[in-house]
Amino acid sequence: FRIIFDPAPERGTVSAIFGDGTVWLGPGLFWVVLVSAFSWTWLGFVVALYRAGLDSIPDDLIRTVNAEGLRGWRRLCAVELPILRPISGIVTLILVVATVRLFDLVLIAVPDPMQDNADVLVLRWWRTTTATDDHGRPAVLALVLFVIVAVVALTGMRGLRRSWAMPSSAVPP
């Protein structure tokens, strides 16, 4: 992604497409590179999970919903999203864990002078544990990370316990 966002149009794909020499890895814009790299890494996996979830919806249910006239956004919100709630919980948990371990992407993609501006909680924890013999501050940061992941995990597991039955309000009587 450092090459894709290189400001020289002969090397950087984004600069060649837009025809400008914007310094994407400079102050303020390096987040575009990080979000792009993170999205590229996880988008295919998330789409595959949701596609598998949509394929697992019974054909009888789809025919019933179509016969009742639910189409488009109403069908998505009233039928498909409630059925996909367990998959949404899993996706949320996986993406939060992936976000928590984002420090490797920051260390690889962001140039050294900009890395202090791209500080994320896990990167700060890693730097604190490797730079000092003080064990108190890294322990507190690790506890904060644990609480964040635990809250998201418990919320996601709550979504897994839901039944696959069609919501009663989906199809009008």
Side-chain angles (χ1 to χ4, degrees):
F1 277 86
R2 285 180 87 163
I3 294 171
I4 291 172
F5 285 96
D6 193 302
E10 60 273 0
R11 287 190 309 253
T13 308
V14 173
S15 296
I17 291 171
F18 292 115
D20 63 352
T22 304
V23 180
W24 293 98
L25 289 169
L29 290 177
F30 61 84
W31 290 105
V32 174
V33 177
L34 292 176
V35 169
S36 299
F38 185 82
S39 300
W40 178 264
T41 303
W42 290 101
L43 184 64
F45 180 69
V46 169
V47 168
L49 282 177
Y50 278 111
R51 184 68 222 173
L54 288 172
D55 288 345
S56 70
I57 296 175
D59 291 335
D60 294 343
L61 177 62
I62 298 298
R63 282 194 292 271
T64 304
V65 168
N66 286 338
E68 292 294 331
L70 280 178
R71 301 255 191 273
W73 286 105
R74 288 188 57 208
R75 175 178 150 176
L76 177 72
C77 293
V79 178
E80 293 169 352
L81 287 180
I83 290 174
L84 294 175
R85 189 172 290 136
I87 293 173
S88 297
I90 290 170
V91 166
T92 301
L93 179 61
I94 289 171
L95 290 181
V96 166
V97 170
T99 305
V100 167
R101 59 162 279 291
L102 187 67
F103 72 93
D104 58 345
L105 186 60
V106 174
L107 291 175
I108 293 169
V110 178
D112 288 338
M114 295 287 108
Q115 283 187 1
D116 289 338
N117 297 333
D119 202 13
V120 291
L121 186 60
V122 174
L123 186 57
R124 183 171 295 217
W125 173 78
W126 179 72
R127 286 186 177 146
T128 304
T129 57
T130 58
T132 181
D133 290 332
D134 178 29
H135 298 294
R137 191 161 187 221
V140 169
L141 289 173
L143 181 64
V144 169
L145 286 169
F146 170 75
V147 167
I148 291 170
V149 173
V151 166
V152 171
L154 291 173
T155 304
M157 287 176 60
R158 184 175 158 245
L160 291 174
R161 292 188 193 134
R162 309 237 179 203
S163 67
W164 272 68
M166 184 172 75
S168 60
S169 62
V171 181

